[in-house]
Amino acid sequence: MENILKFIASQLQAVGINYEFMEWTDATIPQTYFTGEYIEEPRTTEDGMHGVDFILMGNTFASWYTLETAKNTIEGCFPSVTGKTAIMEDGSGVAVFFSHAMTIPSQVPELKRIQINLDIKEWKVN
């Protein structure tokens, strides 16, 4: 899973999305940033495929339009049909697909939030 986390972080960084895994740890908090977490599916297929649901949580004190623009950037990075594919250092293959998004209510009136779900498929060599 570590290789996949690095892959997602590098892809998001390449398109200008502020991202960290699980929580924002930098002392400087950007106006808009995303954190990610995952849910692994059981390994049940004979072809070595492993599924992961990856959840990106976007946060901003800017406008809703800012989050919508970020969502569109992420969707372009991980297209829902073709996905973003790569061969990892360990020889496994990975494909990441945009799945869906939804706005999330916040207890802080100025804070706007969005949840973006990515569908990840990994095929291990061994």
Side-chain angles (χ1 to χ4, degrees):
M1 192 64 206
E2 185 177 345
N3 285 335
I4 293 173
L5 294 175
K6 288 178 183 177
F7 175 70
I8 289 173
S10 70
Q11 297 305 304
L12 292 173
Q13 181 181 12
V15 295
I17 299 291
N18 296 311
Y19 164 78
E20 283 197 45
F21 180 63
M22 291 302 292
E23 64 181 341
W24 193 262
T25 59
D26 195 320
T28 304
I29 300 174
Q31 187 175 30
T32 303
Y33 68 93
F34 285 79
T35 58
E37 58 190 79
Y38 64 88
I39 302 166
E40 290 186 282
E41 298 172 4
R43 296 177 191 259
T44 58
T45 64
E46 295 177 0
D47 65 356
M49 196 276 292
H50 175 225
V52 178
D53 293 323
F54 197 84
I55 301 165
L56 286 170
M57 292 299 299
N59 304 278
T60 191
F61 285 99
S63 69
W64 283 105
Y65 181 75
T66 302
L67 286 179
E68 187 65 23
T69 300
K71 180 194 78 147
N72 291 337
T73 299
I74 293 167
E75 187 172 9
C77 185
F78 304 108
S80 60
V81 176
T82 58
K84 182 75 157 194
T85 60
I87 302 297
M88 301 287 105
E89 292 175 8
D90 65 358
S92 63
V94 66
V96 182
F97 305 87
F98 181 92
S99 178
H100 60 280
M102 63 183 171
T103 55
I104 302 293
S106 170
Q107 300 298 325
V108 180
E110 301 83 17
L111 179 64
K112 291 131 188 105
R113 303 183 76 210
I114 192 168
Q115 177 179 318
I116 297 172
N117 290 54
L118 303 176
D119 186 24
I120 301 172
K121 305 294 184 199
E122 178 187 32
W123 290 267
K124 292 264 187 192
V125 175
N126 48 9

